[in-house]
Amino acid sequence: MAVQGTAGDDTTKYEYVAGKLRGDILDGVYGAGKLLPPQRELMEKFDVSRATVTKALRVLRQEGLIASRQGSGARVLVPGGRLPPAPQPAAHVEPRQALETLQPHLQAAFEADDITMDVFSLTSETMNRQLGAQITRIHDGEIRPRSIALRLMVPDPSIKLAFPASLDDPEDDRPRRRHRDTLIRCSESLKDELRTLRRQRLVPQVSVRIRTVALTPISKMYLLNKDLLLEGYYTLEGTDPQTAEGEEPEGTTLNSLGLGATLFPYSKPDQALKVETAQAFFDSYWDLLARDADFGD
């Protein structure tokens, strides 16, 4: 699979490779503790140079998704940036807790005729990445929902967020600008992809509303079809972002582990109180605190 892009467009190539590997990790193709394919195999798979693969793996290390050591390969970490614990003797094995990701829950939610999604997150990047599989199912005729309604609530990109932020220089605005760019790109992508379904007459009714709130969320939440809640915490970590040649080094940045965050599921009828309380929380913020998004400069 050759990477799309112009010759010499190394940035596009390594970001593409990092994105594909990131998606495979989050979808469970490469589970916690497992090794990624060797660099030579990745070079052949994506038809890129070793330098491109090395840069892609560096991105995943900075995001806390993998750890690598010379001669040992790149190994997938559990959320929080740790290797999974060594197996215990059978007599002492703790009950298994599965790594919950968004994709299987979205797939189940899209079996309904009328789909609702209430999302509160830092950038909506996870939803933007995971929704594509369900849109493909609609295009392929596998499912035919009557309606899709998305309410997306994200932090106001014009405020000074608690994170991401520079730990070395509080006045360095680059982390906030990157967050703003990601937030706007992902939000607009979600809106365009869903509204395209209506324009193409694949889904008769599509509603996409985006609002912002003047605060930094400490967790992400997804409410699907009013009967399933998924919650994940934004664990913080210090990273050292790459800077372009000639640009002043940025130092350590306080970032959150969002893409790889474990999601805890709560569903009706067994956990109705938790789901209904989360829905009331979302509705109150949406109605009383949030404002329609304005992503103008």
Side-chain angles (χ1 to χ4, degrees):
M1 173 180 15
V3 176
Q4 298 298 316
T6 59
D9 189 1
D10 188 53
T11 300
T12 298
K13 289 180 180 180
Y14 85 76
E15 289 180 344
Y16 174 87
V17 173
K20 298 297 287 186
L21 292 175
R22 183 188 300 112
D24 286 343
I25 291 171
L26 298 180
D27 287 344
V29 176
Y30 305 116
K34 301 297 184 182
L35 286 170
L36 293 182
Q39 288 197 20
R40 181 166 297 280
E41 187 175 326
L42 294 174
M43 290 164 58
E44 295 174 356
K45 177 179 179 179
F46 295 108
D47 191 19
V48 295
S49 67
R50 182 178 294 275
T52 296
V53 170
T54 300
K55 286 186 177 181
L57 295 178
R58 183 183 302 129
V59 170
L60 298 180
R61 284 199 305 273
Q62 291 174 345
E63 293 175 354
L65 293 177
I66 65 170
S68 59
R69 194 186 317 173
Q70 185 73 25
S72 300
R75 193 175 297 275
V76 177
L77 301 177
V78 299
R82 305 181 308 279
L83 285 170
Q88 298 176 338
H92 302 287
V93 171
E94 298 292 333
R96 181 178 181 273
Q97 291 187 340
L99 175 64
E100 293 286 346
T101 59
L102 182 59
Q103 187 61 249
H105 298 291
L106 275 179
Q107 182 165 341
F110 268 71
E111 297 292 336
D113 291 329
D114 299 295
I115 301 158
T116 64
M117 299 176 288
D118 290 339
V119 180
F120 183 25
S121 68
L122 190 64
T123 62
S124 76
E125 187 171 9
T126 300
M127 173 64 83
N128 185 56
R129 291 178 180 276
Q130 300 293 321
L131 194 62
Q134 307 315 313
I135 292 176
T136 298
R137 294 175 68 201
I138 294 174
H139 278 281
D140 291 346
E142 181 181 338
I143 52 175
R144 276 287 182 264
R146 282 191 306 248
S147 67
I148 300 175
L150 169 65
R151 293 193 299 176
L152 173 62
M153 190 159 55
V154 291
D156 185 342
S158 68
I159 70 170
K160 189 173 184 178
L161 299 171
F163 56 86
S166 173
L167 289 176
D168 297 324
D169 181 5
E171 300 304 317
D172 190 339
D173 202 36
R174 285 174 290 181
R176 188 185 71 83
R177 292 202 307 268
R178 281 197 305 273
H179 168 265
R180 180 182 186 277
D181 291 343
T182 300
L183 184 155
I184 294 174
R185 171 174 51 80
C186 293
S187 300
E188 294 293 340
S189 175
L190 281 170
K191 180 171 64 177
D192 291 343
E193 288 190 354
L194 288 173
R195 288 181 175 177
T196 296
L197 295 175
R198 183 178 59 195
R199 288 196 298 270
Q200 294 177 339
R201 300 183 179 180
L202 295 172
V203 180
Q205 299 179 44
V206 175
S207 170
V208 182
R209 301 179 64 191
I210 303 174
R211 289 188 171 182
T212 62
V213 287
L215 54 83
T216 308
I218 61 172
S219 63
K220 58 170 66 177
M221 65 185 303
Y222 306 92
L223 286 152
L224 305 179
N225 293 346
K226 308 294 183 183
D227 59 12
L228 174 68
L229 164 68
L230 298 167
E231 281 187 333
Y233 297 102
Y234 286 118
T235 303
L236 300 180
E237 58 183 0
T239 62
D240 296 313
Q242 289 182 300
T243 53
E245 185 176 354
E247 187 178 1
E248 182 180 350
E250 190 169 324
T252 303
T253 297
L254 182 65
N255 276 317
S256 61
L257 183 64
L259 284 174
T262 298
L263 297 177
F264 296 92
Y266 307 90
S267 60
K268 293 181 179 180
D270 293 341
Q271 296 153 317
L273 180 59
K274 175 72 173 181
V275 177
E276 291 167 0
T277 301
Q279 187 68 64
F281 164 86
F282 183 94
D283 290 343
S284 67
Y285 276 57
W286 181 269
D287 293 334
L288 301 176
L289 190 62
R291 298 291 181 266
D292 289 338
D294 179 9
F295 295 141
D297 294 332

